[in-house]
Amino acid sequence: MTKTGKAVAVLAVAAGITAGSAGIASASMNQYNASAYASTEAFAVSQALYYAQQQGYAAGYTFGQCPESSHHSQKVSANSWYATVYVTCYRP
């Protein structure tokens, strides 16, 4: 491939990323979060995810439209964990 060919390929990829971002920005989207205490980290995260997603479903989003976007967890005692989960709901 020539240098010109490489430049065209890079520009085409950059244009594709820009178009993809614009498509996401135009979709209906909201973020929800919830926190939970539990005896294990995995269970605290699971519970918080459930409650965060329930907020999205109550707002009219359907199953699969509210994936986890991030979470934070910390141990608060020998047998207790605290977790906060964020979900971002998208409606295409």
Side-chain angles (χ1 to χ4, degrees):
M1 184 182 289
T2 65
K3 288 183 183 178
T4 305
K6 287 181 185 177
V8 170
V10 170
L11 288 174
V13 170
I17 291 169
T18 302
S21 298
I24 290 171
S26 66
S28 174
M29 136 180 120
N30 286 293
Q31 189 173 63
Y32 302 95
N33 68 77
S35 298
Y37 284 96
S39 57
T40 67
E41 180 181 19
F43 190 47
V45 170
S46 173
Q47 289 294 103
L49 175 61
Y50 173 80
Y51 293 123
Q53 288 177 326
Q54 289 305 307
Q55 293 176 54
Y57 301 152
Y61 292 94
T62 59
F63 182 78
Q65 292 181 330
C66 297
E68 177 184 329
S69 51
S70 67
H71 76 264
H72 172 75
S73 57
Q74 68 182 62
K75 193 169 192 170
V76 293
S77 70
N79 59 351
S80 183
W81 285 83
Y82 178 77
T84 301
V85 174
Y86 296 87
V87 298
T88 303
C89 299
Y90 299 92
R91 185 176 296 121

